[in-house]
Amino acid sequence: MVLSILTERIALYRSAPREARAFPAFLQTLCQFHIEHLIFYTPVILSLGIACYFSLHFEPAASLVFNMWVGSLALLFLCHNLTHQEFRYNKLRVPAYLLCLFISGIFLAQHRTDQVAAPVLQKPLKFADLSGTIRSIDILPEHAGVRLVLNDLVIEDLPAEQTPRTIRLKIRAPLAYRPGQRVTARASLNPPGQMVTPNAFNFQFYSYFKQLGAVGFSYNPPDIISPAPSSFFSGFWESMRLWIAGKITHAMPQSLQGVSITFMTGEKSTIPPDDLAAMRNSGLAHLLAISGLHVGLVAGFIFFLTRLGLACIADWALKYPIKKIAAFVALIFAIFYTCLVGAEVPTQRALMMTGIALFAIMIDRSPFSLRMVALAALVILVFYPESLLSASFQMSFAAVTALVWFYDRHRQTLQTLYRDAGIIKRGLLYILGIATTTLIAGSATTLFGVYHFQSASLYSLLANILAMPVVGLLVMPAAVLSYLFLPIGLEALPLSLMGLGIQWVLYIAHFVSGLDGAVMTFPAFSSLTLGLTTLSCLGIMIGPGILRLAGIAGLLSLTTLSLLHKPMNIILISPEGSLTGFYSESEQTLYVSSLQMGRYERESWESRLGTRSKKPLKFSASPLMQCDTQGCRLPLPSLKIAFPANLYALREDCLWADLVIFSTWSVKQCAAAQVIDRRFLRREGAVRIDIPAGSTSADAARPYRLYTVRQSHGVRPWRNAPQ
């Protein structure tokens, strides 16, 4: 394949005129570049600019970024008007366009960062008297209460310029609140949590772009001091979600309510933890993320129902284009469904693609192409650049791109198979289509799932083959009928049918997740590896000519490098210093300083190390540790590490150890080469220390690598360093 492509391109070069054999023209011929390829490259190059901005360790000057952007636009305009040569063989236009896109990505990301800037709580408030307006309500599973998101805040003893724009409170109370109500409460508030280890999930980044300045809980149920506004549009969608959730709660058993509410309102906080874990481990978690599947099924069912109803009226069927009318009605209902379920990034992408497909039906065009995917990605990146780093954006676009690419390449074959097929053959093709779709989408999203969650479901193909027909033929049609019958109070029958389908889906999820080896865990890998692998796959899928060869070479190189990975012993320290961990490479086990404190940090470490199948143990259980009442010592061949428990042990350990970890106090004097104390953690954040397994002290002057949050991520607007 590689040799044939190269031979073909070189022969084309030799047969070209002399003026077309200059290097830039030859490179464009070799790449088989055409102007229609720009729509594919545009979101990719824009994404590179956005990723470059968010990966910087410092905040670039806004004036510098703006001047660079204006300069790139001027260069593009100048190159476009300098010459009248054909676009595909021009030497300057394409590089100028790509450079402008890259700098535009940096500019858009910084502009969005400045746009959402809001005050963040700087230190914990144990007892804070506050008042605020309810913006949204999250129902917690198993009657655990609700989470209120409040804005328009007034917090006692906190100046207005330091008051967060939005906070989130957990309360243990029955659902007696409505959006728009003004409430007052005494609460405990904390700043958004720091990363538990370098390159872990960044809750501060997530909170910054949500304008979430603090999280906490209320000691007592908040008091309502003013009712919600009587305006019809004030809190309309949130009120409708709560109304539908209440109807489902009264019509369904408790075990089915959580998933049903998710399908109909997009609210995922109502799902019980056991069901959520089963859905995730069986490979059915994509059903809980309202995306293209749900919007497509809703729009498709409405399209079929409307067209069938119009076709039953002979005069209308003969006089009017009922197919186009059905597409318009389906588009209206798709917009309604998207607004109802919250319009998150996957849902927005799904609505755009579904809308384009339905519009294409209205104007008699083909509704499926990679251009549609590229356009949807471009729109989201322009308005929400930060979504590029989210798991939902990456996984949804990876799945859709792979599916559209595959089915677009095999469209003729599929049309031939479906033509003149009987009922039995169509049924078999439907099952085969589900299996093929699951295999392609699962393969495309596996890398992103491993990067974000460090796990992959091995039996997702089996689970989807058993569950997807029920979702497509029963659950979603019943959900649509429930929407139609809710206003007239006849929702009991469609909700009961929907409950039967969800009961089957949950049974399949628990059955598959209970199989031996259903989930495989992996250690976390770097963002650079994810980015290079993604670019290599995109080069193979959408790149012409030599870019496909580069993509294949990139994947082979990354695979080779992954096989050369050196085993490491790892020391982990939480940002507050309350928990310390030691990962032994030889035993594949995580040892921690405490099994009672730092539960969230401990679970995050287990996930990123890929040791969730093994229970963590205390330091004293490690055969490498020497522990007593004064603390622990870890004498490795290349490094001596001490974990003193008090000031008396600290004096002795400073004379013995190369590395002392004493997070309880700030150490003033110590003879050890490296000391990690409370002052160090406050300045640098969480710490990770990699120690090559099997190395000795003679191998290097400093036989370990120390990473901190500050070192790995720098000082950015969203990093709220502890005071």
Side-chain angles (χ1 to χ4, degrees):
M1 174 183 174
V2 174
L3 291 177
S4 63
I5 294 176
L6 281 175
T7 304
E8 178 186 350
R9 301 294 175 267
I10 293 173
L12 186 63
Y13 164 70
R14 288 177 175 175
S15 63
R18 183 180 181 85
E19 60 272 10
R21 294 171 65 176
F23 181 73
F26 165 66
L27 186 61
Q28 289 177 345
T29 303
L30 189 65
C31 293
Q32 217 178 20
F33 177 80
H34 297 284
I35 189 171
E36 57 266 22
H37 294 148
L38 283 180
I39 186 62
F40 302 139
Y41 299 149
T42 297
V44 176
I45 303 300
L46 193 71
S47 298
L48 290 177
I50 295 170
C52 176
Y53 169 79
F54 286 125
S55 63
L56 293 175
H57 288 191
F58 61 93
E59 185 64 22
S63 58
L64 175 63
V65 173
F66 180 76
N67 290 332
M68 288 172 57
W69 181 61
V70 172
S72 67
L73 290 175
L75 177 63
L76 178 62
F77 178 79
L78 186 64
C79 293
H80 183 74
N81 290 277
L82 271 178
T83 178
H84 299 288
Q85 295 180 13
E86 190 178 356
F87 192 91
R88 70 180 66 180
Y89 295 116
N90 189 271
K91 300 178 182 179
L92 298 175
R93 290 182 184 176
V94 173
Y97 177 73
L98 298 181
L99 177 64
C100 182
L101 277 177
F102 181 81
I103 297 177
S104 296
I106 299 175
F107 172 75
L108 288 170
Q110 187 177 62
H111 174 71
R112 175 69 175 168
T113 301
D114 295 338
Q115 186 183 37
V116 301
V120 177
L121 194 67
Q122 294 299 309
K123 60 181 180 180
L125 297 178
K126 205 66 177 172
F127 299 95
D129 292 318
L130 59 89
S131 62
T133 302
I134 299 177
R135 190 180 74 182
S136 63
I137 303 173
D138 297 333
I139 307 171
L140 299 178
E142 299 177 347
H143 303 290
V146 296
R147 276 201 303 255
L148 302 181
V149 177
L150 305 178
N151 55 13
D152 298 328
L153 291 157
V154 176
I155 301 178
E156 187 180 17
D157 298 331
L158 200 62
E161 63 273 11
Q162 298 179 16
T163 302
R165 190 167 300 175
T166 306
I167 65 170
R168 191 176 69 193
L169 286 183
K170 180 180 178 181
I171 61 173
R172 292 185 175 274
L175 185 59
Y177 302 98
R178 292 292 180 268
Q181 291 175 333
R182 186 82 181 170
V183 297
T184 181
R186 168 162 286 194
S188 173
L189 298 177
N190 291 287
Q194 301 182 70
M195 282 186 285
V196 298
T197 187
N199 300 316
F201 174 69
N202 194 344
F203 185 66
Q204 289 182 337
F205 180 87
Y206 170 86
S207 302
Y208 181 88
F209 286 95
K210 294 286 187 182
Q211 296 185 321
L212 187 64
V215 295
F217 63 91
S218 176
Y219 291 101
N220 296 304
D223 297 322
I224 301 172
I225 56 177
S226 65
S230 57
S231 171
F232 175 78
F233 295 102
S234 178
F236 172 76
W237 295 111
E238 188 67 26
S239 298
M240 181 168 286
R241 290 186 203 109
L242 294 174
W243 177 65
I244 293 175
K247 292 284 188 180
I248 293 173
T249 302
H250 286 92
M252 282 191 178
Q254 183 178 342
S255 59
L256 306 177
Q257 291 172 9
V259 179
S260 302
I261 291 173
T262 298
F263 273 91
M264 294 193 66
T265 69
E267 178 56 64
K268 293 183 282 291
S269 61
T270 58
I271 304 175
D274 291 343
D275 291 343
L276 188 61
M279 296 286 283
R280 185 183 298 118
N281 294 337
S282 63
L284 295 176
H286 64 94
L287 296 178
L288 304 178
I290 307 300
S291 58
L293 170 69
H294 306 77
V295 178
L297 288 174
V298 167
F301 183 72
I302 290 294
F303 176 82
F304 169 78
L305 201 63
T306 305
R307 192 177 181 186
L308 178 64
L310 294 175
C312 293
I313 306 175
D315 291 341
W316 289 16
L318 294 174
K319 288 182 180 180
Y320 304 110
I322 61 173
K323 182 179 179 181
K324 298 180 180 181
I325 295 173
F328 178 76
V329 174
L331 177 60
I332 297 300
F333 207 90
I335 295 173
F336 166 81
Y337 182 72
T338 300
C339 295
L340 180 63
V341 297
E344 296 292 334
V345 169
T347 321
Q348 294 176 28
R349 186 265 310 157
L351 176 63
M352 280 188 283
M353 297 188 64
T354 303
I356 294 172
L358 293 172
F359 182 72
I361 293 175
M362 296 181 208
I363 60 175
D364 299 320
R365 297 294 177 89
S366 175
F368 301 106
S369 72
L370 280 175
R371 292 178 179 84
M372 183 170 62
V373 182
L375 180 61
L378 182 61
V379 172
I380 291 177
L381 290 173
V382 167
F383 289 99
Y384 306 104
E386 74 278 4
S387 64
L388 175 69
L389 306 185
S390 66
S392 60
F393 179 92
Q394 295 172 6
M395 298 182 74
S396 62
F397 273 100
V400 171
T401 302
L403 289 171
V404 173
W405 174 78
F406 176 83
Y407 284 112
D408 189 53
R409 290 176 65 92
H410 299 86
R411 184 181 303 175
Q412 297 296 330
T413 304
L414 294 173
Q415 289 176 350
T416 304
L417 287 174
Y418 272 94
R419 192 180 298 124
D420 301 327
I423 296 178
I424 297 178
K425 185 178 179 180
R426 284 180 179 269
L428 294 175
L429 287 174
Y430 177 73
I431 300 298
L432 180 62
I434 292 176
T436 304
T437 299
T438 302
L439 187 61
I440 295 169
S443 301
T445 58
T446 294
L447 178 71
F448 299 95
V450 171
Y451 172 78
H452 289 283
F453 309 112
Q454 293 80 54
S455 65
S457 175
L458 298 184
Y459 302 128
S460 62
L461 181 61
L462 172 63
N464 279 274
I465 289 176
L466 295 175
M468 286 306 300
V470 178
V471 174
L473 299 177
L474 180 59
V475 175
M476 292 309 299
V480 174
L481 292 176
S482 299
Y483 288 133
L484 299 176
F485 291 149
L486 274 169
I488 58 177
L490 300 177
E491 72 279 358
L493 179 59
L495 283 179
S496 62
L497 293 176
M498 183 181 176
L500 290 175
I502 289 175
Q503 189 173 12
W504 171 254
V505 171
L506 289 176
Y507 172 78
I508 294 300
H510 284 279
F511 170 74
V512 173
S513 64
L515 297 175
D516 292 336
V519 181
M520 181 176 288
T521 59
F522 301 86
F525 55 89
S526 67
S527 303
L528 180 61
T529 302
L530 177 71
L532 293 176
T533 307
T534 303
L535 289 176
S536 299
C537 293
L538 286 174
I540 295 172
M541 294 173 63
I542 65 176
I546 199 171
L547 292 183
R548 296 182 182 177
L549 304 181
I552 295 172
L555 287 181
L556 293 176
S557 302
L558 289 168
T559 303
T560 304
L561 290 174
S562 67
L563 296 176
L564 299 177
H565 173 71
K566 294 182 179 180
M568 295 281 181
N569 294 315
I570 300 172
I571 301 292
L572 297 165
I573 308 172
S574 67
E576 300 295 333
S578 58
L579 189 70
T580 306
F582 165 61
Y583 173 71
S584 172
E585 173 66 29
S586 59
E587 302 170 66
Q588 301 284 304
T589 304
L590 174 65
Y591 298 94
V592 293
S593 58
S594 173
L595 293 175
Q596 285 75 39
M597 300 180 64
R599 178 182 174 184
Y600 173 73
E601 288 88 347
R602 186 171 65 249
E603 291 177 350
S604 298
W605 291 349
E606 291 176 50
S607 174
R608 294 192 62 78
L609 293 170
T611 61
R612 280 181 292 189
S613 57
K614 286 187 176 182
K615 294 283 187 181
L617 303 174
K618 290 199 68 174
F619 274 170
S620 57
S622 171
L624 300 176
M625 287 276 192
Q626 301 172 359
C627 294
D628 56 22
T629 56
Q630 303 299 317
C632 292
R633 288 181 174 182
L634 179 60
L636 297 174
S638 60
L639 190 68
K640 292 184 289 186
I641 308 172
F643 307 88
N646 50 51
L647 291 172
Y648 175 78
L650 174 66
R651 298 189 186 95
E652 294 187 0
D653 288 338
C654 282
L655 299 174
W656 173 82
D658 303 310
L659 172 62
V660 173
I661 300 172
F662 189 61
S663 57
T664 308
W665 300 91
S666 296
V667 180
K668 294 183 179 179
Q669 291 183 342
C670 186
Q674 177 72 62
V675 178
I676 299 177
D677 59 357
R678 191 174 185 181
R679 186 191 301 112
F680 182 92
L681 293 176
R682 287 190 170 188
R683 183 179 69 251
E684 300 291 336
V687 177
R688 170 181 168 135
I689 304 171
D690 289 351
I691 309 166
S695 63
T696 64
S697 57
D699 293 338
R702 192 181 188 187
Y704 64 89
R705 291 193 295 271
L706 186 146
Y707 305 96
T708 68
V709 171
R710 182 187 178 93
Q711 172 193 340
S712 302
H713 301 271
V715 179
R716 304 303 300 274
W718 47 85
R719 183 169 183 261
N720 180 34
Q723 301 297 308

